[in-house]
Every structure is written in structure tokens, then in C-alpha cells.
């Protein structure tokens, strides 16, 4: 079972809107994917650090969810480094809705890392 976390601006799950800024998203969608690449379960988790966080807190929270992959609109270099240390794959540049982004990731159309270009 593969666990993928996507950043969201709301608590609507797969119907939600992707967050373009990883550190300030209000929610995370955790999707469990079976060996055939099918979504078997989803859970929405509020971001406990949306208003204020120290480096590493959000990556540690996502790690505690058992995530293998995190997909976000954008992410700073420090967060990417934390995820790398935790063994969690980072994918950024997602610009679609949550369900569409997950489908695109599973199809191999959303890949790679593009760091945020603003100060963190």
C-alpha cells in the first residue's frame, strides 16, 4: 500500500482545491493506493501548523501519517531537504484540483520538484 499526501486549501477531500504553498495549506489529503494504482481510502487531516511552524514540524507530521510521497503546488528547499531525510518523495508544481492532481500523479504526468521562488 502506497500513501500519498496532497496539500489542500480546504477539507473537501478529493473534491478540494490544491494549495500552492505547502507550509500554509489548511489541510492534507492522505490517499492510500493499492498495488494496482487504485485509490482504496482517503482521509483529510487539518494542518496543525498552518498558522505558524518551525522547520521540520510539517514534514514530521506528514511522516507520522505514514506517507511515502507528498505532492504540493510549491515547497521551499528546507522542507524538501527534511522530506528527503525522512525518505519521503517530494513532487511539486501541481496546479489542478486535488483529485485531478492525484490522477495525474498516478498516471506519471505530475513529477519532479520545482522549489518556491519566494523567501521562506
Amino acid at each position: 500500500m502506497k500513501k500519498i499526501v496532497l496539500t489542500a486549501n480546504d477539507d473537501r477531500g478529493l473534491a478540494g482545491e490544491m494549495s500552492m504553498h505547502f507550509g500554509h495549506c489548511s489541510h492534507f489529503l492522505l490517499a492510500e493506493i493499492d498495488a494496482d494504482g487504485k485509490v482504496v481510502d482517503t482521509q483529510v487531516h487539518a494542518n496543525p501548523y498552518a498558522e505558524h511552524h518551525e522547520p521540520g514540524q510539517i514534514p514530521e507530521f506528514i511522516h507520522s501519517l505514514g506517507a511515502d510521497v507528498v505532492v504540493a503546488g510549491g515547497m521551499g528547499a528546507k522542507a524538501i531537504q527534511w522530506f528527503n531525510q525522512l525518505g519521503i518523495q517530494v513532487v511539486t508544481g501541481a496546479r489542478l484540483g486535488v483529485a485531478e492532481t492525484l490522477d495525474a500523479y498516478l498516471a506519471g504526468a505530475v513529477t519532479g520538484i520545482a522549489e518556491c521562488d519566494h523567501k521562506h
Side-chain angles (χ1 to χ4, degrees):
M1 194 74 59
K2 186 175 193 175
K3 293 185 178 183
I4 302 169
V5 169
L6 296 97
T7 58
N9 283 332
D10 51 51
D11 63 356
R12 297 182 305 141
L14 289 172
E17 176 183 301
M18 284 293 294
S19 174
M20 295 302 109
H21 194 280
F22 164 76
H24 297 288
C25 70
S26 64
H27 291 81
F28 298 106
L29 174 82
L30 173 65
E32 293 186 40
I33 312 300
D34 69 12
D36 295 325
K38 305 290 184 204
V39 177
V40 295
D41 189 34
T42 61
Q43 302 169 12
V44 175
H45 297 271
N47 179 356
Y49 305 106
E51 298 300 319
H52 179 74
H53 60 271
E54 299 295 323
Q57 285 179 315
I58 297 174
E60 288 288 348
F61 174 72
I62 291 174
H63 183 258
S64 76
L65 298 176
D68 301 296
V69 180
V70 61
V71 181
M75 186 179 299
K78 286 181 185 178
I80 292 168
Q81 185 176 22
W82 273 97
F83 282 116
N84 288 337
Q85 290 173 354
L86 293 169
I88 298 172
Q89 178 189 7
V90 174
V91 176
T92 63
R95 301 283 184 256
L96 306 168
V98 173
E100 295 85 3
T101 298
L102 180 57
D103 289 344
Y105 170 78
L106 293 173
V110 175
T111 61
I113 297 173
E115 291 180 22
C116 289
D117 59 0
H118 57 268
K119 187 176 179 179
H120 283 253

